């Protein structure tokens, strides 16, 4: 895929006290790429995403986003955290409109977009509810709506669909695909769901056990004219799914198969 480098992770290491979480990790995502990161639990995936987001400082190495060295969080990088991270003092609507306000969108347009996302996420009845009144799956939908709605160039997603039921997950995945395809987003998404990675991403990077580093990479391309059902039944999909599974299993069990 051509295009300029949007995210460049250069030899990032991160230690927490004596414990080494990441070891000289390199990763480049070009504009318009959808990269999925899979790997064993505790290998440092979330830590890497927080570093790219600017929420955690690396011990060594540097991250560039859109050519600039990342030093802090920024609205160019929309993040959906594993633990939702909603503002507890704001309602569902206010949580979604918060970044719209920060980017200076006129109030009438904000209302339109908030309404569209409330509907898409099945949250219309909860527009005025506070996060503490919502289930985990609903909080996750609000967090996704908040990030999708303001349409940042870069999406950093940490297991964004984990708490959702199967039907809702498919709706959200397809909305993410639509955003990515129509607006040429750069996406980095962590998931533990190999099927999700193979269905959504155009590149899958497999991480080793801690200290995490990338050990395998798969380029994926589905025929975009196919429906989801046709994609998952295709030979190429099954071939990729199998190859990624074997690679992840090798990392989890330490056994080569
Ligand atoms: N703030 C922190 N302080 C100390 N240890 C941490 C901190 N954040 C993460 N870790 C540790 O770093 C390792 C990697 O964590 P994490 O990035 O959350 O892994 P993953 O997302 O791949 O499951 C784990 O052993 C975790 O306990
Ligand atoms: Mg994690």
């Amino acid at each position: 895929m051509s295009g300029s480098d949007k995210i460049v992770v250069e030899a990032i290491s991160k230690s927490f006290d004596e414990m080494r979480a990441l070891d000289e990790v390199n990763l480049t995502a070009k504009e318009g790429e959808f990269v999925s990161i899979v790997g064993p639990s505790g290998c440092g995936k979330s830590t890497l995403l927080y570093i790219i987001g600017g929420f955690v400082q690396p011990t060594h190495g540097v991250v560039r986003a859109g050519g600039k060295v990342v030093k802090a969080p920024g609205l160019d990088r929309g993040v959906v955290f594993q633990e939702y991270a909603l503002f507890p003092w704001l309602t569902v609507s206010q949580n979604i409109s918060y970044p719209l306000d920060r980017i200076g969108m006129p109030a009438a347009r904000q209302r339109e977009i908030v309404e569209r996302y409330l509907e898409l996420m099945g949250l219309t009845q909860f527009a005025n509810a506070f996060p503490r009144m919502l289930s985990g799956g609903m909080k996750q939908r609000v967090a996704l709506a908040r990030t999708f709605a303001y349409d940042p160039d870069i999406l950093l997603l940490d297991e964004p669909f984990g708490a959702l039921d199967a039907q809702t997950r498919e709706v959200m995945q397809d909305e993410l695909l639509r955003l990515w395809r129509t607006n040429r987003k750069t996406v980095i998404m962590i998931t533990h769901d190999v099927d999700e990675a193979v269905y959504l991403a155009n590149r899958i990077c497999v991480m080793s056990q801690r200290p995490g580093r990338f050990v395998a990479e798969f380029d994926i391309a589905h025929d975009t004219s196919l429906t989801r059902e046709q994609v998952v039944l295709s030979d190429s999909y099954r071939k990729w799914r199998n190859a990624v599974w074997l690679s992840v299993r090798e990392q989890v069990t330490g056994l080569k198969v």
Side-chain angles (χ1 to χ4, degrees), residues 6 12 14 19 64 102 107 119 128 161 178 182 216 219 249:
K6 198 76 179 169
I12 287 288
K14 177 69 184 177
M19 201 270 292
R64 278 175 238 280
R102 296 253 331 255
E119 199 170 323
N128 299 315
F161 308 120
R178 190 191 65 77
T182 53
D219 287 318
R249 195 166 68 181

PDB file of all heavy atoms in Angstrom, residues 6 12 14 19 64 102 107 119 128 161 178 182 216 219 249:
ATOM      1  N   LYS A   6       2.201   7.404   8.603  1.00  0.00           N
ATOM      2  CA  LYS A   6       1.332   8.175   9.495  1.00  0.00           C
ATOM      3  C   LYS A   6       1.772   7.972  10.948  1.00  0.00           C
ATOM      4  O   LYS A   6       1.801   8.903  11.730  1.00  0.00           O
ATOM      5  CB  LYS A   6      -0.115   7.692   9.291  1.00  0.00           C
ATOM      6  CG  LYS A   6      -1.139   8.647   9.788  1.00  0.00           C
ATOM      7  CD  LYS A   6      -1.300   9.821   8.854  1.00  0.00           C
ATOM      8  CE  LYS A   6      -2.382  10.763   9.379  1.00  0.00           C
ATOM      9  NZ  LYS A   6      -2.401  12.012   8.656  1.00  0.00           N
ATOM     10  N   ILE A  12      10.968   1.253  20.345  1.00  0.00           N
ATOM     11  CA  ILE A  12      10.358   1.598  21.639  1.00  0.00           C
ATOM     12  C   ILE A  12      10.587   0.476  22.655  1.00  0.00           C
ATOM     13  O   ILE A  12      10.271  -0.688  22.407  1.00  0.00           O
ATOM     14  CB  ILE A  12       8.830   1.815  21.473  1.00  0.00           C
ATOM     15  CG1 ILE A  12       8.547   3.139  20.762  1.00  0.00           C
ATOM     16  CG2 ILE A  12       8.118   1.760  22.817  1.00  0.00           C
ATOM     17  CD1 ILE A  12       8.805   4.373  21.583  1.00  0.00           C
ATOM     18  N   LYS A  14       9.935  -0.254  26.950  1.00  0.00           N
ATOM     19  CA  LYS A  14       9.279   0.272  28.140  1.00  0.00           C
ATOM     20  C   LYS A  14       9.481  -0.684  29.304  1.00  0.00           C
ATOM     21  O   LYS A  14       9.203  -1.878  29.195  1.00  0.00           O
ATOM     22  CB  LYS A  14       7.770   0.443  27.884  1.00  0.00           C
ATOM     23  CG  LYS A  14       6.986   0.916  29.090  1.00  0.00           C
ATOM     24  CD  LYS A  14       7.316   2.341  29.463  1.00  0.00           C
ATOM     25  CE  LYS A  14       6.599   2.790  30.718  1.00  0.00           C
ATOM     26  NZ  LYS A  14       6.977   4.169  31.112  1.00  0.00           N
ATOM     27  N   MET A  19      10.718  -4.564  35.512  1.00  0.00           N
ATOM     28  CA  MET A  19      10.020  -5.435  34.556  1.00  0.00           C
ATOM     29  C   MET A  19       9.980  -4.804  33.163  1.00  0.00           C
ATOM     30  O   MET A  19       9.509  -3.698  32.990  1.00  0.00           O
ATOM     31  CB  MET A  19       8.606  -5.692  35.074  1.00  0.00           C
ATOM     32  CG  MET A  19       7.966  -6.906  34.505  1.00  0.00           C
ATOM     33  SD  MET A  19       7.068  -6.517  33.027  1.00  0.00           S
ATOM     34  CE  MET A  19       5.756  -5.548  33.711  1.00  0.00           C
ATOM     35  N   ARG A  64       6.427   8.792  16.166  1.00  0.00           N
ATOM     36  CA  ARG A  64       6.002   9.945  15.371  1.00  0.00           C
ATOM     37  C   ARG A  64       4.592   9.694  14.862  1.00  0.00           C
ATOM     38  O   ARG A  64       4.273   8.595  14.411  1.00  0.00           O
ATOM     39  CB  ARG A  64       6.920  10.136  14.163  1.00  0.00           C
ATOM     40  CG  ARG A  64       8.195  10.868  14.468  1.00  0.00           C
ATOM     41  CD  ARG A  64       9.094  10.902  13.233  1.00  0.00           C
ATOM     42  NE  ARG A  64      10.355  10.279  13.552  1.00  0.00           N
ATOM     43  CZ  ARG A  64      11.332  10.912  14.215  1.00  0.00           C
ATOM     44  NH1 ARG A  64      11.197  12.166  14.578  1.00  0.00           N
ATOM     45  NH2 ARG A  64      12.435  10.270  14.516  1.00  0.00           N
ATOM     46  N   ARG A 102     -14.455  20.360  21.309  1.00  0.00           N
ATOM     47  CA  ARG A 102     -13.020  20.693  21.325  1.00  0.00           C
ATOM     48  C   ARG A 102     -12.490  21.009  19.933  1.00  0.00           C
ATOM     49  O   ARG A 102     -11.563  21.821  19.794  1.00  0.00           O
ATOM     50  CB  ARG A 102     -12.194  19.517  21.910  1.00  0.00           C
ATOM     51  CG  ARG A 102     -12.484  19.206  23.355  1.00  0.00           C
ATOM     52  CD  ARG A 102     -11.398  19.617  24.347  1.00  0.00           C
ATOM     53  NE  ARG A 102     -10.027  19.651  23.899  1.00  0.00           N
ATOM     54  CZ  ARG A 102      -9.104  18.745  24.197  1.00  0.00           C
ATOM     55  NH1 ARG A 102      -9.413  17.672  24.887  1.00  0.00           N
ATOM     56  NH2 ARG A 102      -7.862  18.914  23.800  1.00  0.00           N
ATOM     57  N   ALA A 107     -22.754  24.104  17.120  1.00  0.00           N
ATOM     58  CA  ALA A 107     -23.656  23.337  17.985  1.00  0.00           C
ATOM     59  C   ALA A 107     -24.701  22.551  17.203  1.00  0.00           C
ATOM     60  O   ALA A 107     -24.992  21.391  17.536  1.00  0.00           O
ATOM     61  CB  ALA A 107     -24.336  24.270  18.989  1.00  0.00           C
ATOM     62  N   GLU A 119     -28.308   6.838  17.596  1.00  0.00           N
ATOM     63  CA  GLU A 119     -29.169   5.895  16.901  1.00  0.00           C
ATOM     64  C   GLU A 119     -28.394   4.663  16.443  1.00  0.00           C
ATOM     65  O   GLU A 119     -28.788   3.536  16.710  1.00  0.00           O
ATOM     66  CB  GLU A 119     -29.804   6.604  15.712  1.00  0.00           C
ATOM     67  CG  GLU A 119     -31.026   5.873  15.207  1.00  0.00           C
ATOM     68  CD  GLU A 119     -31.778   6.716  14.188  1.00  0.00           C
ATOM     69  OE1 GLU A 119     -31.832   7.953  14.359  1.00  0.00           O
ATOM     70  OE2 GLU A 119     -32.253   6.134  13.218  1.00  0.00           O
ATOM     71  N   ASN A 128     -29.520  10.960  27.967  1.00  0.00           N
ATOM     72  CA  ASN A 128     -29.315  11.794  29.151  1.00  0.00           C
ATOM     73  C   ASN A 128     -28.878  11.006  30.382  1.00  0.00           C
ATOM     74  O   ASN A 128     -28.854  11.538  31.496  1.00  0.00           O
ATOM     75  CB  ASN A 128     -30.591  12.595  29.455  1.00  0.00           C
ATOM     76  CG  ASN A 128     -30.942  13.504  28.287  1.00  0.00           C
ATOM     77  OD1 ASN A 128     -30.066  14.177  27.729  1.00  0.00           O
ATOM     78  ND2 ASN A 128     -32.202  13.493  27.873  1.00  0.00           N
ATOM     79  N   PHE A 161     -14.195  -3.969  20.882  1.00  0.00           N
ATOM     80  CA  PHE A 161     -15.500  -4.627  20.777  1.00  0.00           C
ATOM     81  C   PHE A 161     -15.650  -5.779  21.770  1.00  0.00           C
ATOM     82  O   PHE A 161     -16.608  -6.533  21.700  1.00  0.00           O
ATOM     83  CB  PHE A 161     -15.694  -5.162  19.341  1.00  0.00           C
ATOM     84  CG  PHE A 161     -15.457  -4.123  18.278  1.00  0.00           C
ATOM     85  CD1 PHE A 161     -14.474  -4.298  17.315  1.00  0.00           C
ATOM     86  CD2 PHE A 161     -16.212  -2.962  18.247  1.00  0.00           C
ATOM     87  CE1 PHE A 161     -14.259  -3.345  16.323  1.00  0.00           C
ATOM     88  CE2 PHE A 161     -15.997  -1.998  17.269  1.00  0.00           C
ATOM     89  CZ  PHE A 161     -15.028  -2.187  16.307  1.00  0.00           C
ATOM     90  N   ARG A 178     -16.545   1.036   7.441  1.00  0.00           N
ATOM     91  CA  ARG A 178     -17.088   2.112   6.603  1.00  0.00           C
ATOM     92  C   ARG A 178     -16.265   3.391   6.801  1.00  0.00           C
ATOM     93  O   ARG A 178     -15.851   4.038   5.839  1.00  0.00           O
ATOM     94  CB  ARG A 178     -18.548   2.366   6.972  1.00  0.00           C
ATOM     95  CG  ARG A 178     -19.277   3.300   6.014  1.00  0.00           C
ATOM     96  CD  ARG A 178     -20.632   3.735   6.574  1.00  0.00           C
ATOM     97  NE  ARG A 178     -20.499   4.551   7.774  1.00  0.00           N
ATOM     98  CZ  ARG A 178     -20.151   5.838   7.782  1.00  0.00           C
ATOM     99  NH1 ARG A 178     -19.903   6.466   6.659  1.00  0.00           N
ATOM    100  NH2 ARG A 178     -20.042   6.496   8.926  1.00  0.00           N
ATOM    101  N   THR A 182     -14.119   4.961   3.759  1.00  0.00           N
ATOM    102  CA  THR A 182     -14.578   6.211   3.138  1.00  0.00           C
ATOM    103  C   THR A 182     -13.687   7.388   3.507  1.00  0.00           C
ATOM    104  O   THR A 182     -13.519   8.298   2.715  1.00  0.00           O
ATOM    105  CB  THR A 182     -16.047   6.538   3.500  1.00  0.00           C
ATOM    106  OG1 THR A 182     -16.169   6.516   4.904  1.00  0.00           O
ATOM    107  CG2 THR A 182     -17.014   5.557   2.879  1.00  0.00           C
ATOM    108  N   ALA A 216       5.832 -11.729  13.786  1.00  0.00           N
ATOM    109  CA  ALA A 216       5.289 -12.167  12.494  1.00  0.00           C
ATOM    110  C   ALA A 216       4.323 -11.122  11.975  1.00  0.00           C
ATOM    111  O   ALA A 216       3.768 -10.338  12.750  1.00  0.00           O
ATOM    112  CB  ALA A 216       4.577 -13.508  12.645  1.00  0.00           C
ATOM    113  N   ASP A 219      -0.065  -9.847   5.562  1.00  0.00           N
ATOM    114  CA  ASP A 219      -0.817  -8.886   4.745  1.00  0.00           C
ATOM    115  C   ASP A 219      -2.123  -9.536   4.321  1.00  0.00           C
ATOM    116  O   ASP A 219      -2.124 -10.664   3.826  1.00  0.00           O
ATOM    117  CB  ASP A 219      -0.016  -8.491   3.502  1.00  0.00           C
ATOM    118  CG  ASP A 219       1.131  -7.568   3.868  1.00  0.00           C
ATOM    119  OD1 ASP A 219       0.914  -6.672   4.701  1.00  0.00           O
ATOM    120  OD2 ASP A 219       2.242  -7.765   3.344  1.00  0.00           O
ATOM    121  N   ARG A 249      -0.724 -18.987  18.461  1.00  0.00           N
ATOM    122  CA  ARG A 249      -0.617 -20.133  19.367  1.00  0.00           C
ATOM    123  C   ARG A 249       0.839 -20.434  19.705  1.00  0.00           C
ATOM    124  O   ARG A 249       1.172 -20.774  20.842  1.00  0.00           O
ATOM    125  CB  ARG A 249      -1.285 -21.360  18.750  1.00  0.00           C
ATOM    126  CG  ARG A 249      -1.511 -22.442  19.809  1.00  0.00           C
ATOM    127  CD  ARG A 249      -2.431 -23.494  19.333  1.00  0.00           C
ATOM    128  NE  ARG A 249      -1.798 -24.269  18.272  1.00  0.00           N
ATOM    129  CZ  ARG A 249      -2.410 -25.267  17.640  1.00  0.00           C
ATOM    130  NH1 ARG A 249      -3.648 -25.580  17.935  1.00  0.00           N
ATOM    131  NH2 ARG A 249      -1.778 -25.938  16.711  1.00  0.00           N
TER     132      ARG A 249
END
